[in-house]
Amino acid sequence: DSDQVYLVTAYVPGQTVKEWVAAEHPAWSEVLSAFLQAGEGLAAAHRAGLIHRDIKPGNLLMADDGRVVVADFGLAKSNLPSSTELSGEEGPHLTNSGVLMGTPTYMSPEQHLGRPLDARSDIWSFCASMYVCLYRTYPFIGKTPTEVALRISKGQFESPPENSDVPKRLFATLAKGMAVEPEQRYPDMAALNNALAMVVSGHVQSNKRKHFFLAGLLLALLLAMGALWLADDLLPSTGSPNPSAIGSPSLRSPNALVTAPAPSISKTA
């Protein structure tokens, strides 16, 4: 039927990013690499005029061949003018029964408040998802869904664990992506992906500087040891004199008492 709107998606053998993180406990750099791939996919969806509206680790697939793809566009909507939503809903964020769509923990403030959504809502959800995978905890914690929603609407996210090795620059990037007001976030996924790539670049450059510093320190230490060895080799020996030469006049002290043998006297008959 030409009036029917539908999606055709590929089968991706593998696991979700949520399952991958739980099973493999990847390093922060591996998580960042995975989300950079997912970010490219989400950017492509935005360029096509789609807003996902349910970005979370469970909707990102880690394929067996290492690819990371964005999945489950069941709640997606088009932000193109005069377009209808793919899910057949009447409003920008509600189901037909008036229930808020999405997963509350990963829903942006405007999504919780029922405001119109654009691609920056996905950016918020993307950063919240990455926070969970990096720190293994939720950025917004509350005893009830209502309390969680309230903290999200106020931007009261948790500070990273003190023992985390995730770079502070990466946390700052996520914090900007989770700003309460959409205008305070990255304007699009391309800008966010560039910021994440800069974290990788900065970390590599920092490691290079550390390696250069350690190499220079080691070289200075080797040069100092070589100079000490050379100086020790060139200086005259200050050891004890040879005992067999103690009787030599050249080794006697000027104040030493010198005694001559007594002359022998012979008697004449």
Side-chain angles (χ1 to χ4, degrees), residues 170-212:
L170 180 51
F171 172 73
T173 302
L174 299 182
K176 181 176 180 178
M178 292 188 295
V180 174
E181 298 299 330
E183 294 78 11
Q184 297 174 345
R185 302 172 202 156
Y186 294 95
D188 50 43
M189 279 303 303
L192 174 56
N193 289 340
N194 287 337
L196 293 175
M198 289 297 293
V199 173
V200 177
S201 176
H203 182 71
V204 171
Q205 292 299 324
S206 176
N207 282 343
K208 285 184 178 179
R209 287 192 294 268
K210 289 179 182 178
H211 292 159
F212 284 139

Side-chain angles (χ1 to χ4, degrees), residues 22-48:
E24 303 295 335
H25 305 286
W28 70 265
S29 56
E30 295 176 287
V31 172
L32 177 53
S33 178
F35 272 82
L36 279 171
Q37 291 189 61
E40 292 295 335
L42 186 55
H46 290 168
R47 288 193 298 270

Side-chain angles (χ1 to χ4, degrees), residues 94-99:
L94 301 176
T95 62
N96 290 334
S97 60
V99 179

Side-chain angles (χ1 to χ4, degrees), residues 3-267:
D3 295 330
Q4 181 68 38
V5 178
Y6 61 94
L7 288 175
V8 177
T9 59
Y11 171 69
V12 181
Q15 59 186 333
T16 66
V17 166
K18 178 180 179 180
E19 293 167 339
W20 171 65
V21 170
E24 303 295 335
H25 305 286
W28 70 265
S29 56
E30 295 176 287
V31 172
L32 177 53
S33 178
F35 272 82
L36 279 171
Q37 291 189 61
E40 292 295 335
L42 186 55
H46 290 168
R47 288 193 298 270
L50 293 178
I51 303 172
H52 191 284
R53 295 198 296 183
D54 197 20
I55 292 293
K56 58 184 179 182
N59 284 341
L60 304 177
L61 300 182
M62 174 72 72
D64 289 340
D65 60 6
R67 292 178 299 122
V68 180
V69 298
V70 181
D72 197 349
F73 282 78
L75 296 182
K77 70 178 289 288
S78 174
N79 62 356
L80 298 177
S82 303
S83 63
T84 57
E85 300 187 14
L86 297 179
S87 55
E89 297 150 10
E90 298 176 356
H93 60 280
L94 301 176
T95 62
N96 290 334
S97 60
V99 179
L100 283 172
M101 302 181 310
T103 306
T105 305
Y106 300 102
M107 287 167 55
S108 66
E110 59 268 31
Q111 202 167 358
H112 275 286
L113 295 173
R115 296 174 180 172
L117 307 180
D118 59 23
R120 292 171 297 184
S121 178
D122 282 349
I123 288 176
W124 191 98
S125 302
F126 184 91
C127 290
S129 298
M130 194 171 179
Y131 183 106
V132 171
C133 293
L134 285 170
Y135 300 111
R136 316 297 199 262
T137 185
Y138 292 107
F140 301 90
I141 298 176
K143 296 180 180 179
T144 64
T146 300
E147 186 177 344
V148 171
L150 183 61
R151 291 179 68 87
I152 288 175
S153 65
K154 293 182 177 180
Q156 298 174 340
F157 50 78
E158 301 293 319
S159 298
E162 293 183 0
N163 61 345
S164 173
D165 63 347
V166 177
K168 293 181 180 179
R169 184 175 180 180
L170 180 51
F171 172 73
T173 302
L174 299 182
K176 181 176 180 178
M178 292 188 295
V180 174
E181 298 299 330
E183 294 78 11
Q184 297 174 345
R185 302 172 202 156
Y186 294 95
D188 50 43
M189 279 303 303
L192 174 56
N193 289 340
N194 287 337
L196 293 175
M198 289 297 293
V199 173
V200 177
S201 176
H203 182 71
V204 171
Q205 292 299 324
S206 176
N207 282 343
K208 285 184 178 179
R209 287 192 294 268
K210 289 179 182 178
H211 292 159
F212 284 139
F213 173 77
L214 292 176
L217 186 62
L218 179 59
L219 179 59
L221 181 60
L222 291 175
L223 289 174
M225 293 176 63
L228 289 174
W229 176 82
L230 184 61
D232 184 65
D233 189 56
L234 293 177
L235 289 175
S237 175
T238 57
S240 301
N242 188 343
S244 63
I246 292 179
S248 171
S250 62
L251 297 177
R252 294 194 188 112
S253 170
N255 299 322
L257 178 63
V258 179
T259 58
S264 59
I265 302 176
S266 60
K267 294 181 179 181

